[in-house]
Amino acid sequence: MLEVRNLTVAIDSEAGELRPVEGVSFSVADGECFALVGESGCGKSMTALALMRLLPDAARVVSGEVRTGGTDLMRLPESEMQRRRGSGIAMIFQEPASSLNPVLPVGEQIVEALMLHKPLTRAEAEREACRWLGRVGIDEPERRMKAFPFELSGGQKQRVMIAMMLANDPEVVIADEPTTALDVTLQAQIMALLGRLRKERRMSLVLITHDLALVQSCADRVALMYAGQIVEEAKAADFFASPKHPYAGALLAAVPGKDAGARTLPSIAGQVPALSAMPSGCRFAPRCPKASAACREEPVGLALHPDGRRVRCLMPGAPAAMVASDLPGRVLGEPVLEVEDLHVVYEKRRGLFRAPERFEAVRGVSLTVRAGETLALVGESGSGKTTAALALLGLLPEAKVSGAVRICGMDATDPRADRTAIRRAAQIVFQDPFGSLDPRMSVGESIAEGLAALRPELHRAARRARVAELLVKVGLPADAAARLPHEFSGGQRQRVAIARALAVSPKLIVCDEPTSALDVSVQAQILNLMRRIQAEERVGFLFITHNFAVVEHLADAVAVLRHGRLVESGPAHEVLERPQNPYTQSLLAAVPRLERA
């Protein structure tokens, strides 16, 4: 159904021609799920954009073929390619917040796509759009048809994007992190839907993701990318049972599990090489514990092995042992966050003489986070997790918030409170790093902005030094401070957002899906960093997530939200191992587990 041969993408820059994708080849059969995995910045998304001929202006395909149904998409005129996009080959983008039109209702956007590719009347297209919203798990699809993107949660926006792409019955779907913003139950529903469509319509799926447990549960074959090249391709069962490339083994070791809570997660030293400084030999050699002199001298080809897998390594075989150290013990201190009976109500005016329409998003939530403690707030998309977090930080001026909120002993609901002191004490890492970073400011300026506002005693040189220190801490080079947000991958932007939250040394950090955009290796680095900072500075974390592997590794306590209400809470080991509420039980039953060899 899809065949890619020797695909190479180049970008013209001041440093010369850069190649984020080089010599990529793979094929996907009818009805097959082919997973493309690898670290953030390895070229996965650039490969997907090249297949769709949607590369940014500065990038171009310099060689290669992309064939569907025997036709090379690279040779089609743009008018014909426009007809094939959406119906023949479709793409589910990684960041729905920036992919949906902010000034059109989401239903109108699906209707537009349907009428472009199918001979439907407007009424038929509206019925079909509403049906697809229901199929992807949107509650009250008739009402949501009229909603604008900003009125939906991150997970709901992603489901709208999935509905829009699937509605035109494409033969090939490229799904770039399609379940990143979804909770585990909806992830299971979406992947079941994609699996059912693959069987019914022989639809081919190229799944781009960093969720290795998800890949193991649904992929037929796996291709692992690193620094623009495929380094290992194999059947999914073979890949997870016995990875041959050192990078593959290191990635699998970095996935958190139930037995990892008392130890650091093994992580890969260093980072993906910059496009302008690619190693002359094996591109993974600078980070590989098995690398020899020969690995650093000449480029390494993708060799076919007797079992049918392809590996780009001179010494394939069992991965090197990954080192994990014991975590320092934590002593919990005084509460840094106390929330009692929190209510958040939205009111929408319906006319001059009609009572406003009320919606209670958070209903009587009470919780406590102590210094050095991590409280995980979990629940389905739209359950009120992010709304509660924004409300307790005073970031919902349009909503009516009631209840008591104390941050480091300060009454955060008192209008006379010292807002600067509260902001120094509590920071937040937002879910969408693209939307939370100013696109016109360098990342260094974004990080330093908070320092200038909340730590005015620091002079400019001290702020620059602090920015450089933070970037290195979160796995980015210090010279990244001069770059703009659009020059980073999604995972790299999230690391910038984490650095910005850490800048003023807060006592409480609200983390809204801080690792959702990160691959497992960088996730391991970030989780280890957070545990180290927590031990050193006794920071309290309110950690909002739907990744239960992260919860198992990081959380001391768990609180479960459903429809704005707290349905279960307690120590993490009790809630995760012996859940009492049926809703908690259903959440845990839907969690994909990585089965280790």
Side-chain angles (χ1 to χ4, degrees):
M1 185 62 74
L2 174 67
E3 187 172 7
V4 181
R5 299 178 184 171
N6 196 34
L7 181 67
T8 299
V9 176
I11 298 175
D12 293 321
S13 72
E14 294 179 357
E17 184 181 88
L18 308 177
R19 295 194 168 186
V21 177
E22 186 166 4
V24 168
S25 299
F26 61 86
S27 61
V28 188
D30 292 3
E32 183 180 34
C33 178
F34 181 85
L36 200 58
V37 300
E39 282 187 288
S40 177
C42 72
K44 307 186 302 293
S45 295
M46 190 67 76
T47 299
L49 293 173
L51 301 182
M52 296 290 293
R53 282 177 48 177
L54 292 175
L55 290 169
D57 292 340
R60 67 187 189 282
V61 174
V62 295
S63 68
E65 299 178 353
V66 179
R67 294 185 174 274
T68 61
T71 302
D72 185 1
L73 300 183
M74 298 295 105
R75 297 182 180 275
L76 292 179
E78 181 58 25
S79 58
E80 176 61 23
M81 189 64 198
Q82 286 181 359
R83 285 192 288 271
R84 288 181 178 253
R85 286 193 201 102
S87 57
I89 181 170
M91 184 169 176
I92 301 168
F93 293 93
Q94 180 177 2
E95 293 178 342
S98 56
S99 302
L100 293 170
N101 190 328
V103 299
L104 285 179
V106 295
E108 179 64 27
Q109 297 184 54
I110 302 175
V111 167
E112 180 183 40
L114 282 165
M115 295 183 70
L116 182 65
H117 294 289
K118 289 184 175 181
L120 300 175
T121 65
R122 182 170 186 84
E124 291 171 336
E126 287 178 350
R127 286 194 295 271
E128 184 72 358
C130 188
R131 185 177 72 87
W132 271 102
L133 285 179
R135 290 192 74 178
V136 297
I138 296 285
D139 293 330
E140 302 179 273
E142 296 85 359
R143 184 170 69 89
R144 296 297 188 185
M145 285 278 290
K146 301 175 183 178
F148 288 88
F150 72 87
E151 297 179 283
L152 305 178
S153 69
Q156 289 169 329
K157 285 195 282 281
Q158 186 65 291
R159 281 176 275 166
V160 169
M161 178 62 64
I162 292 170
M164 189 186 305
M165 294 302 105
L166 295 180
N168 280 303
D169 305 323
E171 297 172 341
V172 178
V173 170
I174 301 168
D176 189 0
E177 303 285 2
T179 61
T180 293
L182 303 182
D183 55 80
V184 290
T185 53
L186 289 169
Q187 174 180 274
Q189 292 174 21
I190 293 299
M191 294 313 300
L193 173 62
L194 290 172
R196 191 162 61 247
L197 290 172
R198 285 197 295 121
K199 293 179 180 178
E200 293 173 357
R201 306 179 187 182
R202 304 296 298 170
M203 181 186 79
S204 300
L205 176 65
V206 179
L207 177 64
I208 298 173
T209 184
H210 58 256
D211 189 337
L212 294 177
L214 179 66
V215 170
Q216 188 180 49
S217 67
C218 66
D220 300 302
R221 285 188 300 127
V222 180
L224 176 63
M225 286 190 74
Y226 183 81
Q229 297 178 331
I230 290 178
V231 297
E232 182 167 354
E233 181 189 335
K235 293 179 181 178
D238 295 338
F239 178 83
F240 287 101
S242 58
K244 298 300 183 186
H245 196 280
Y247 177 52
L251 275 186
L252 292 174
V255 178
K258 285 185 176 181
D259 57 345
R263 298 176 66 81
T264 61
L265 289 169
S267 60
I268 307 172
Q271 56 193 356
V272 178
L275 293 177
S276 58
M278 285 293 178
S280 56
C282 171
R283 295 183 176 182
F284 186 64
R287 307 174 70 187
C288 181
K290 297 172 63 176
S292 65
C295 299
R296 296 180 170 88
E297 292 172 357
E298 298 293 334
V300 179
L302 198 60
L304 181 65
H305 286 243
D307 61 359
R309 77 173 77 199
R310 299 188 298 160
V311 184
R312 193 183 298 272
C313 184
L314 297 179
M315 295 179 289
M322 301 293 289
V323 178
S325 58
D326 291 333
L327 286 165
R330 286 179 293 172
V331 178
L332 304 185
E334 295 297 318
V336 293
L337 174 67
E338 297 169 278
V339 181
E340 296 179 8
D341 198 29
L342 181 69
H343 290 260
V344 181
V345 178
Y346 290 92
E347 291 188 351
K348 185 176 181 180
R349 304 298 301 181
R350 300 190 299 170
L352 186 60
F353 300 107
R354 301 178 66 185
E357 181 180 352
R358 296 179 81 257
F359 170 67
E360 194 168 9
V362 177
R363 311 174 184 187
V365 168
S366 298
L367 50 87
T368 300
V369 180
R370 292 180 291 173
E373 182 182 36
T374 298
L375 171 65
L377 194 59
V378 301
E380 290 180 298
S381 177
S383 63
K385 305 186 300 295
T386 298
T387 300
L390 295 177
L392 63 89
L393 292 177
L395 298 178
L396 287 180
E398 71 279 12
K400 290 186 175 182
V401 180
S402 61
V405 177
R406 289 182 293 276
I407 296 174
C408 294
M410 295 176 284
D411 186 353
T413 60
D414 187 349
R416 298 167 298 177
D418 185 347
R419 308 312 301 179
T420 299
I422 291 175
R423 291 283 179 261
R424 275 199 300 264
Q427 287 287 302
I428 184 169
V429 178
F430 291 98
Q431 180 177 3
D432 178 13
F434 189 83
S436 62
L437 293 173
D438 190 326
R440 299 166 298 178
M441 296 173 65
S442 70
V443 299
E445 290 171 336
S446 291
I447 297 171
E449 184 180 34
L451 284 170
L454 301 175
R455 296 286 302 277
E457 73 277 8
L458 294 178
H459 52 75
R460 184 172 298 179
R463 290 199 297 267
R464 283 199 299 268
R466 176 65 171 161
V467 168
E469 174 194 350
L470 288 164
L471 287 172
V472 172
K473 264 191 173 184
V474 298
L476 293 171
D479 58 12
R483 293 159 59 187
L484 293 170
H486 75 268
E487 299 179 73
F488 295 87
S489 68
Q492 290 168 330
R493 283 195 290 268
Q494 189 65 293
R495 280 179 268 176
V496 171
I498 292 170
R500 183 176 60 180
L502 293 171
V504 295
S505 301
K507 296 301 180 184
L508 169 70
I509 299 181
V510 176
C511 304
D512 189 0
E513 301 282 5
T515 62
S516 65
L518 304 182
D519 57 84
V520 291
S521 172
V522 179
Q523 174 182 271
Q525 295 173 7
I526 295 299
L527 293 178
N528 289 340
L529 169 66
M530 294 175 73
R531 292 294 292 267
R532 188 174 70 249
I533 290 172
Q534 191 170 53
E536 293 171 355
E537 303 182 23
R538 300 181 72 193
V539 180
F541 291 119
L542 178 60
F543 201 95
I544 299 170
T545 185
H546 57 255
N547 187 333
F548 277 84
V550 171
V551 173
E552 291 169 345
H553 175 73
L554 193 66
D556 301 295
V558 176
V560 185
L561 277 183
R562 186 186 189 195
H563 301 320
R565 294 187 184 278
L566 202 60
V567 297
E568 186 166 357
S569 63
H573 63 91
E574 291 185 8
V575 175
L576 297 176
E577 296 174 10
R578 295 181 296 277
Q580 302 300 309
N581 189 278
Y583 175 68
T584 309
Q585 294 168 359
S586 67
L587 277 181
L588 293 171
V591 176
R593 303 285 183 183
L594 182 65
E595 297 181 9
R596 302 170 190 270

